[in-house]
DNA sequence: GGAAGGCGCGTTATATCGTAACGGCACGGC
DNA sequence: GCCGTGCCGTTACGATATAACGCGCCTTCC
């Protein structure tokens, strides 16, 4: 389970796979993946970066839909609430989940140069957070773990440039 | 170095100590802790929780000042930029630093019940994040580590109620 | 069949968070 | 004196997010 985003990959496959997983998960859990929700997920899947809600809205409008902010926020709430997307707090923006279906406390790498957002394995990080919290007798319900920096590609580009 | 916020403590001492440290650090580094910046820091220090910029603004106005949003944001930028305060991304709000002067990558515990925000030791968490990032050859420049949950006091209150 | 309730969604309006840009003033260097 | 720099007042605006109301489509229950 590696974190895509920084590596070359068959992105069409990446998208269709994620959609299929979302459909299956919704079917299993009695969730309604309506056309709009699905479309918003597709838009997020289109890029391995975080998109603002209004950016998604612009895409919908460019497709001829007369959408309003609540439309997008409702779709995003559904997607985030059911683990098909995540909110990147640092950017006030949203990204498709790289591991839908699996229960996970996500952790993200955000490249300041190219904007790519990768979801990385977080078990040890989550463990460290829970450990530190436990010494203060604090019960952790939810975590925000986001690291900003420079991705390998951009670092190489810098070195070359 | 424990994380205050969840424990009883002499809060007046806590405030004056932090202000003294800020004054000393500014003096050492040639930074100007102006009256406004100092006042905003005092306001943040007043509570062990995160305050929105406009909430700070309301306090200033209640004191008779004709302040505008940029006034507050400029003071907050100064305080955050120089390590006297932190932004809690999850809340779009600001909290006074519990360890000013020391270089640190902060990690926070946010009680969903009472709103208290505590800054906790983060060395091991930061280490775990850097480690996970390194396997993807990602250079981390800045981290956001925030855990939401229930503090010991509120847990006790729940159990009692 | 019809009442009742849940859910998704359209729509309007508004709340909340944050910044751009301009100009004035004070201070220190030269 | 003149200029650069940093701080701040002020106006206006941009970006992010939600409240509230109502409609249509279901399903449930009788
Ligand atoms: Zn992909
Ligand atoms: Zn990059
Ligand atoms: Zn205190
Ligand atoms: Zn609490």
């Amino acid at each position: 389970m590696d974190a895509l985003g920084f590596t070359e990959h068959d992105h069409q496959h990446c998208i269709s796979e994620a959609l299929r997983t979302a459909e299956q998960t919704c079917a299993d859990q009695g969730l309604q993946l309506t056309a709009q929700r699905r479309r918003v997920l597709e838009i997020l899947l289109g890029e391995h970066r975080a998109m603002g809600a209004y950016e998604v809205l612009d895409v919908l409008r460019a497709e001829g839909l007369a959408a309003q902010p609540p439309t997008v926020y409702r779709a995003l709430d559904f997607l985030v609430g059911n683990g098909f997307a995540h909110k990147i707090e640092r950017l006030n923006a949203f990204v498709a989940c790289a591991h839908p279906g699996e229960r996970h406390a996500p952790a993200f790498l955000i490249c300041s140069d190219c904007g790519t957002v990768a979801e990385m394995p977080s078990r040890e990080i989550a463990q460290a957070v829970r450990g530190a919290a436990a010494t203060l007798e604090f019960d952790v319900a939810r975590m925000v773990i986001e690291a900003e920096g420079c991705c390998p590609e951009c670092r190489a580009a810098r070195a070359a440039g």
Side-chain angles (χ1 to χ4, degrees), chain A:
Chain A
M1 175 174 90
D2 105 300
L4 294 180
F6 302 143
T7 54
E8 280 295 325
H9 63 285
D10 179 345
H11 193 48
Q12 283 312 317
H13 173 75
C14 168
I15 292 175
S16 58
E17 186 69 15
L19 280 173
R20 224 176 45 73
T21 304
E23 277 164 2
Q24 189 58 55
T25 306
C26 286
D28 290 352
Q29 304 188 4
L31 302 171
Q32 298 180 236
L33 187 62
T34 63
Q36 271 186 111
R37 289 168 176 175
R38 188 191 154 101
R39 186 72 200 102
V40 170
L41 178 55
E42 281 175 9
I43 291 168
L44 292 182
L45 281 166
E47 323 216 10
H48 284 292
R49 66 181 184 86
M51 297 181 73
Y54 280 71
E55 203 176 343
V56 173
L57 181 57
D58 288 343
V59 174
L60 291 177
R61 285 179 171 165
E63 293 174 356
L65 301 174
Q68 296 296 324
T71 301
V72 173
Y73 280 102
R74 286 196 280 235
L76 289 170
D77 284 350
F78 172 86
L79 295 173
V80 170
N82 293 290
F84 303 123
H86 301 291
K87 178 167 190 183
I88 307 298
E89 299 290 348
R90 170 72 185 162
L91 304 176
N92 292 321
F94 301 84
V95 69
C97 177
H99 313 299
E102 309 166 29
R103 291 195 68 241
H104 61 296
F108 301 96
L109 298 174
I110 306 165
C111 178
S112 314
D113 277 26
C114 65
T116 296
V117 172
E119 195 172 334
M120 65 175 168
S122 69
R123 195 154 12 160
E124 292 170 24
I125 300 168
Q127 199 52 44
V129 172
R130 281 184 210 289
T135 68
L136 300 172
E137 301 178 74
F138 186 95
D139 272 347
V140 176
R142 189 183 175 284
M143 300 176 199
V144 176
I145 301 164
E146 298 167 1
E148 256 182 301
C150 191
C151 78
E153 288 196 29
C154 288
R155 188 144 27 79
R158 277 187 192 177

